[in-house]
Amino acid sequence: MTDKSIEMKSGEYMAGQIQVLKGLEAVRKRPGMYIGSTSARGLHHLVYEVVDNSIDEAMAGFCTHIEVAVHADDSVTVIDDGRGIPVDIHPTEKVPGVELAMTALHAGGKFDKNSYKVSGGLHGVGVSVVNALSESLEVEVRRDGRLYRQQYEKGIKTTGVENLGEAEGRGTRVWFKPDPEIFTELVYKFETLSSRLRELAFLNKGLKITIRDERPDDPVEETYVYEGGLASFVEYLRGPRQPLHEKPGYFEAKRPEAEIELAFQYDEGFSENTHTFVNNINTHEGGTHVTGLKAALTRTINDYARKNNLLKKADETLSGDDVREGLTLVLSVRVMEPQFEGQTKTKLGNSEVRGAVEAAVNEQLAIFLDEHPKAARAIVEKSLQAARARDAARKARDLARKKNALEGGVLPGKLADCSLSDPSMTEIYIVEGDSAGGSAKQGRDRSYQAILPIKGKILNVERARIDKVLSNTEIRAMITAIGTGIKDDFELDSARYHKVIIMTDADVDGAHIRTLLLTFFFRQMRELIEAGYIYIAQPPLYRVQKGRDEHYAYSEAQRQEIIKRLTNGKGEDARGLNVQRYKGLGEMNPDQLWKTTMDPETRTVFQVTMESAASADSIFARLMGDDVEPRRQFIEKNAKYVKNLDV
Ligand code: 0RA
């Protein structure tokens, strides 16, 4: 019996099909609404969306292993060993469950009520969105001793759910190839996928996740499984920093409002590394759970310090920033009906979660401190040092403010400011080196572009306490030029520019300086990144010239392409061909710098996202310790990570 004859028989079925087609059409018309973007980011979200379904099955307790493979043609397979998507006919929709999952928007929750849904993807939109945006997709289900299969193209089924006969085991396999008519970028980045999958393995204790990249000549496979869950995550994040206590603190708590899992470890560094998740989603913008967590940390450590007479003066208290200095912490909360708010929908809104987290952390942290008196003392001592340094920095700052007011000069001398004063119209280039700074000053459009040259290596903020950070000239110049202040004093509304563009040489040193700058912004002006104000300029690597034809290449591939075109395929040795490699920005004259890197009409700038900044930061924390070898490796690999910035 063909599909057509079924349609004739059932008006209900036909109505369902019309709904499906309308839904798919909406997804293909406005893919951005469903997966955020159609660039690299959206492309990667397709994988996360499919994996999330398997993760849900793991969270329900039925799946132990998830395998992801990226094939030579950049198609992807996701396999799990869960129960398998149901194949029986849905009572009201009259189609097999698996077909419903593949075609109905938001079908995910229809089967299973009591679970922590929206486990991952950008909006938890469901696998039907992946189907709609795939040139082709195939789903296989093993259930009840049989193998079933169905195939689709652009979300429309090309077969029914076929029973392929007997088969062992159970589970679901989804293979899909993203549609080139939809996506502007079709190449998967192994690092991007593997770091999210590793994160999911940390967040789901004991779950095994494998990723295989079949594209390189020598395929790569990695497996992540962490019996320690978040405790393993914290040790991973802490990296080479010297811990104050040997094992991370760790607890799990079940409350009616939420399930809470937390791990933390203090180290001798000065930065705070807090990562929070709700239903496996990174809550970059914080929310009620983070409010509860911070309140509990501050209160419990102060209580402990006071109870044990560790505070010298009667009125001495430790601030939130003080007790979080040198702290690596991961909080994972599971909530039945999470409300995500904020610009990027990564802020938890559920008010009942605040109290649940606060109470659980108060209780469990107090137990940890009582049971580990040596660690507790070290933590309080460190917080006290932080409090005293902060106090000294505040005094120095007040003094500096007064001095500035007296002298009348507020902006740094090296800043070549723009003439417009509406921040939404203006941008500032932070430029590596005085010579490139000079070219930028001459090449810019001075009405809306400001230039701040900074000396090569700025201070490594990872290894310095706040008072030292603030006494660094380059950093002070940036802070005053940008105008927002830092940390607790940060005010987005005071930003003097809505674009802060980092422009460094296209070499290893440039990459290092860019990382230092990103780390600084991530640590001290995080909201500037969250607001989308930080960008990275992309200067060309080569100038290729033949006669009056002049072109710039931003990658090796582009260089070859241009040479081929200009020489009619003859290549490098053609007569009259002139290829110049730019070792630094300083080698470009002002006009070239404008044309290639600064003119909004022709330049490419990458907007820095929280994810890219966080990964810069974690790479940085990991590698800027005292070990030389990992640093050397990092610098060699760095070009690769920079390419990841738009993901
Ligand atoms: C709902 C019910 C059941 C399984 C699933 C959903 C399921 C969905 C996906 C998507 C990817 N992998 C999956 N694995 C399972 C099973 C209900 C039952 O067997 O009783």
Side-chain angles (χ1 to χ4, degrees):
M1 186 160 59
T2 66
D3 285 349
K4 197 137 204 98
S5 62
I6 302 173
E7 271 177 49
M8 296 303 204
K9 277 194 186 136
S10 162
E12 210 174 342
Y13 176 79
M14 209 136 65
Q17 286 299 88
I18 291 167
Q19 276 309 111
V20 163
L21 292 175
K22 275 196 178 149
L24 294 176
E25 197 176 284
V27 176
R28 289 181 61 86
K29 239 191 198 140
R30 291 205 180 72
M33 293 264 293
Y34 296 85
I35 52 160
S37 85
T38 53
S39 58
R41 210 182 171 131
L43 182 78
H44 289 76
H45 271 296
L46 298 182
V47 179
Y48 306 150
E49 205 56 63
V50 177
V51 168
D52 284 345
N53 291 286
S54 303
I55 295 269
D56 283 342
E57 188 67 358
M59 278 164 52
F62 298 103
C63 161
T64 64
H65 188 191
I66 300 171
E67 291 174 73
V68 176
V70 184
H71 306 295
D73 61 353
D74 275 280
S75 66
V76 173
T77 300
V78 178
I79 305 175
D80 70 52
D81 62 353
R83 289 169 294 178
I85 308 177
V87 291
D88 48 337
I89 305 292
H90 190 277
T92 56
E93 306 291 329
K94 312 282 190 227
V95 293
V98 58
E99 183 170 325
L100 197 59
M102 290 298 152
T103 55
L105 296 175
H106 294 283
K110 275 195 186 152
F111 303 100
D112 230 336
K113 281 243 166 56
N114 309 319
S115 67
Y116 299 107
K117 277 291 164 198
V118 203
S119 62
L122 187 62
H123 306 115
V125 282
V127 71
S128 58
V129 168
V130 178
N131 193 12
L133 303 178
S134 293
E135 172 184 279
S136 40
L137 178 144
E138 184 177 289
V139 54
E140 277 182 10
V141 173
R142 282 162 204 273
R143 258 178 92 92
D144 313 321
R146 291 181 190 287
L147 175 64
Y148 302 88
R149 183 180 66 195
Q150 189 175 31
Q151 291 165 325
Y152 289 87
E153 281 171 20
K154 299 177 183 179
I156 297 169
K157 65 179 172 187
T158 55
T159 71
V161 177
E162 298 173 298
N163 181 341
L164 299 184
E166 287 182 20
E168 303 214 326
R170 42 170 225 180
T172 304
R173 173 180 164 278
V174 176
W175 168 85
F176 66 94
K177 186 157 168 38
D179 189 346
E181 285 174 19
I182 301 282
F183 291 93
T184 58
E185 172 66 61
L186 291 158
V187 180
Y188 279 104
K189 287 177 182 148
F190 180 78
E191 294 292 323
T192 303
L193 292 176
S194 62
S195 74
R196 172 62 179 159
L197 295 177
R198 185 196 288 117
E199 183 173 279
L200 284 168
F202 281 128
L203 290 165
N204 294 276
K205 190 159 58 177
L207 173 64
K208 182 157 121 187
I209 304 181
T210 302
I211 177 167
R212 190 170 67 252
D213 188 352
E214 296 174 353
R215 296 168 301 173
D217 291 337
D218 202 1
V220 189
E221 183 174 302
E222 292 187 5
T223 295
Y224 312 116
V225 53
Y226 303 102
E227 296 304 333
L230 295 191
S232 308
F233 200 176
V234 159
E235 284 181 324
Y236 172 82
L237 290 167
R238 176 182 47 88
R241 290 188 293 252
Q242 189 65 35
L244 287 191
H245 47 105
E246 198 195 331
K247 276 174 72 183
Y250 177 83
F251 78 84
E252 287 175 281
K254 270 197 177 55
R255 305 227 163 205
E257 301 85 1
E259 284 184 24
I260 299 154
E261 189 183 354
L262 178 111
F264 65 92
Q265 191 172 32
Y266 281 87
D267 62 67
E268 288 179 353
F270 303 111
S271 53
E272 175 196 345
N273 300 280
T274 304
H275 301 266
T276 60
F277 298 84
V278 173
N279 296 6
N280 290 334
I281 298 171
N282 193 327
T283 36
H284 290 299
E285 295 174 279
T288 53
H289 58 320
V290 179
T291 311
L293 164 74
K294 287 184 171 176
L297 269 174
T298 310
R299 178 170 154 198
T300 304
I301 294 179
N302 271 291
D303 283 357
Y304 181 89
R306 206 167 299 114
K307 215 171 65 191
N308 292 277
N309 297 316
L310 300 171
L311 300 178
K312 290 290 166 304
K313 291 170 246 151
D315 65 339
E316 195 164 37
T317 54
L318 303 166
S319 75
D321 280 339
D322 297 335
V323 302
R324 295 194 303 270
E325 191 180 281
L327 172 65
T328 300
L329 179 148
V330 182
L331 170 68
S332 169
V333 176
R334 304 215 199 269
V335 181
M336 285 287 188
E337 283 175 22
Q339 256 120 44
F340 290 106
E341 304 169 346
Q343 262 194 338
T344 55
K345 292 268 177 273
T346 58
K347 180 175 183 184
L348 184 68
N350 305 50
S351 58
E352 74 282 5
V353 177
R354 184 199 153 136
V357 172
E358 189 169 345
V361 176
N362 272 331
E363 181 188 304
Q364 296 293 324
L365 182 60
I367 294 174
F368 173 87
L369 295 173
D370 282 334
E371 287 179 355
H372 302 82
K374 255 173 67 190
R377 266 171 198 275
I379 291 166
V380 171
E381 186 49 42
K382 179 160 178 73
S383 304
L384 275 167
Q385 279 169 18
R388 285 162 196 162
R390 214 174 300 283
D391 207 40
R394 194 174 307 122
K395 281 183 184 136
R397 213 159 36 191
D398 289 348
L399 209 69
R401 269 206 203 106
K402 274 186 207 137
K403 214 165 125 209
N404 274 337
L406 283 176
E407 288 167 4
V410 182
L411 292 171
K414 286 211 289 183
L415 173 73
D417 210 357
C418 50
S419 47
L420 290 173
S421 58
D422 175 356
S424 69
M425 311 276 291
T426 63
E427 51 194 44
I428 181 170
Y429 273 84
I430 297 180
V431 186
E432 165 189 359
D434 286 336
S435 100
S439 292
K441 280 178 195 178
Q442 288 177 53
R444 70 178 170 148
D445 182 330
R446 63 173 58 237
S447 66
Y448 65 93
Q449 292 181 317
I451 309 294
L452 180 68
I454 55 159
K455 272 210 232 57
K457 302 276 162 80
I458 64 160
L459 179 76
N460 176 349
V461 291
E462 189 63 27
R463 293 211 276 179
R465 197 165 244 158
I466 188 75
D467 47 339
K468 190 129 167 265
V469 173
L470 293 181
S471 64
N472 180 279
T473 326
E474 307 301 310
I475 285 179
R476 287 170 70 120
M478 278 195 294
I479 296 172
T480 31
I482 293 169
T484 53
I486 59 165
K487 278 265 169 143
D488 291 350
D489 298 331
F490 185 94
E491 266 181 22
L492 189 63
D493 286 347
S494 307
R496 301 182 59 251
Y497 317 91
H498 285 190
K499 282 201 173 87
V500 176
I501 304 171
I502 299 173
M503 183 160 73
T504 59
D505 288 346
D507 64 3
V508 161
D509 278 346
H512 188 187
I513 292 160
R514 175 174 52 238
T515 309
L516 285 164
L517 286 167
L518 276 181
T519 303
F520 169 75
F521 290 124
F522 183 76
R523 290 290 182 208
Q524 310 288 339
M525 298 183 169
R526 191 165 298 186
E527 290 155 79
L528 215 54
I529 302 174
E530 281 164 358
Y533 287 7
I534 307 270
Y535 295 81
I536 292 181
Q538 205 193 11
L541 298 173
Y542 300 97
R543 174 171 169 271
V544 184
Q545 177 242 329
K546 191 166 185 290
R548 261 192 276 166
D549 252 348
E550 180 193 58
H551 296 274
Y552 296 91
Y554 295 83
S555 68
E556 189 52 40
Q558 221 174 14
R559 180 186 75 108
Q560 286 170 9
E561 189 189 299
I562 294 168
I563 291 176
K564 217 161 151 191
R565 192 149 39 85
L566 289 188
T567 63
N568 295 319
K570 284 204 195 79
E572 300 276 349
D573 303 324
R575 270 163 58 109
L577 182 76
N578 182 1
V579 180
Q580 182 189 359
R581 182 185 158 83
Y582 290 123
K583 289 193 207 74
L585 297 163
E587 291 177 16
M588 271 180 273
N589 64 38
D591 179 51
Q592 288 170 330
L593 194 57
W594 164 255
K595 266 198 308 212
T596 60
T597 319
M598 298 179 69
D599 178 359
E601 296 288 324
T602 50
R603 74 185 178 194
T604 308
V605 292
F606 292 121
Q607 190 174 42
V608 174
T609 63
M610 274 304 284
E611 271 149 85
S612 55
S615 74
D617 178 76
S618 98
I619 291 171
F620 200 73
R622 185 164 300 283
L623 299 174
M624 292 298 133
D626 299 319
D627 300 347
V628 175
E629 181 55 17
R631 177 150 55 235
R632 193 184 58 76
Q633 282 174 6
F634 160 75
I635 287 170
E636 279 172 3
K637 269 181 71 177
N638 199 266
K640 193 164 140 203
Y641 127 74
V642 170
K643 285 205 207 105
N644 273 333
L645 279 171
D646 59 337
V647 171

